[in-house]
Amino acid sequence: MSTAMTSGGGRPPSLLAAAAVVAGLVVAAGACGATAPARDATAPTEKATTPPSPAPSTSPAASLPPPTSAPTVPAPPAAPTTTTPPYAPPSPAVAPAPDGGPGTFGPTAGGALQGKVVAVDPGHNGGNFAAPSVINAPIFNGRSSEACDTTGTETDGGYTEATFNWLVAQGVAADLRAQGATVVLTRTSNTGVGPCVTQRAAIANTAHADAAVSIHADGGPAGGRGFAILEPVADGPNDAIIGASRTLGDDLRNSFLAGTGEPVSSYDGVDGIQARGDLGGTNLSTVPKVFIECANMRNAADAALVVSPAWQQQAAAAITAGLVAFLTGG
């Protein structure tokens, strides 16, 4: 999410068409490899021939016993190789909505969050690139007009923010449910469009969530890196949740710093916290809510992290830890 864009960032219109072409490839993050042509199973194979036996030698040396050969020392066994499987968060327990819209998922186990409802908002959507007329439609964000949504940002290699947000959100949802929480996702696929930021806030409000988090990655200056928590500014509808949202923001900042090793942003906010009054997602919220910009996708060091399945898992676990701390007072 670029700080130059509203509601979680965006990309210049000139990049929209190009991003659409690569949208189907982003999950693989540009991986590609050539394969050798298959061997023709019908091709004739070379027949082995037996060379003629040499004539018996009449040389005196022929009667000498063969030399003793050195014993063969078996090669040591190869060390076992281990590979880290790619991070594949569990899919939601029920089928996604036909349009990829919101879904509610019950707990998978008891735990510290039993009875709690958490709204998890994966920012943007994978289909936004192909629907400019929808996502560019103006909405009222509680203070002023902004676009319904944006495409989000991407790394220089073409890995989209929408994909990152979706993968991390699934990990957070699975972790929360394993601790007893009911999770409300604002979207249940990464192939749809939207929903608008106003709808994302309404989904959490309607669910009476005990906490809500909108997961993003930033598109900041290439020379800057780090994460930031975006907290609401009082504007009327959200007046009652400002204090709780600040506590939630502090808990998330502390857990993300400890759990990922990512530094606080060098260009956005102070000590990892930034108050924002231009985001409909928090302006219209009636439940404690913050945004987290997990990294700067336009920075080379951060870009290497956001495409890493292992780091995505770390990010999900750290966000979960912050939510647990907030919801349990820990």
Side-chain angles (χ1 to χ4, degrees):
M1 173 174 118
S2 171
T3 54
M5 296 291 181
T6 60
S7 182
R11 306 183 309 123
S14 61
L15 296 181
L16 191 59
V21 176
V22 298
L25 302 178
V26 293
V27 175
C32 178
T35 56
R39 181 176 178 177
D40 183 357
T42 62
T45 57
E46 183 179 357
K47 183 178 180 180
T49 58
T50 303
S53 300
S57 172
T58 57
S59 166
S63 62
L64 296 176
T68 302
S69 59
T72 302
V73 179
T81 58
T82 58
T83 57
T84 301
Y87 177 48
S91 298
V94 297
D99 60 354
T104 300
F105 307 95
T108 55
L113 301 185
Q114 193 163 1
K116 300 295 186 181
V117 178
V118 183
V120 178
D121 173 33
H124 313 293
N125 206 327
N128 284 6
F129 290 100
S133 62
V134 176
I135 65 167
N136 290 333
I139 54 90
F140 182 67
N141 70 9
R143 286 175 174 267
S144 60
S145 177
E146 68 169 292
C148 159
D149 199 3
T150 69
T151 60
T153 188
E154 62 182 30
T155 68
D156 289 345
Y159 189 89
T160 68
E161 181 192 353
T163 298
F164 171 80
N165 299 343
W166 172 240
L167 292 174
V168 173
Q170 286 188 89
V172 173
D175 291 346
L176 291 171
R177 296 172 66 208
Q179 298 198 49
T182 294
V183 174
V184 178
L185 285 170
T186 59
R187 60 182 175 100
T188 53
S189 80
N190 193 43
T191 58
V193 177
C196 293
V197 293
T198 49
Q199 295 169 293
R200 293 172 190 260
I203 290 165
N205 295 345
T206 300
H208 302 289
D210 296 287
V213 60
S214 190
I215 298 172
H216 288 262
D218 202 15
R225 69 167 300 200
F227 76 95
I229 308 296
L230 310 184
E231 298 180 352
V233 173
D235 65 352
N238 66 2
D239 286 359
I241 56 99
I242 298 301
S245 296
R246 287 174 179 165
T247 302
L248 172 59
D250 286 345
D251 287 336
L252 275 175
R253 186 267 315 276
N254 295 342
S255 67
F256 204 81
L257 185 62
T260 65
E262 178 75 353
V264 297
S265 178
S266 62
Y267 62 91
D268 190 11
V270 176
D271 198 20
I273 302 293
Q274 176 69 283
R276 290 280 292 269
D278 60 336
L279 303 175
T282 47
N283 288 356
L284 300 174
S285 183
T286 58
V287 301
K289 182 176 183 178
V290 297
F291 281 52
I292 179 168
E293 299 282 8
C294 295
N296 177 14
M297 298 187 84
R298 308 316 296 270
N299 173 273
D302 278 2
L305 295 177
V306 298
V307 302
S308 163
W311 196 81
Q312 291 168 8
Q313 187 173 18
Q314 283 185 288
I319 292 171
T320 300
L323 288 164
V324 171
F326 173 75
L327 293 168
T328 62

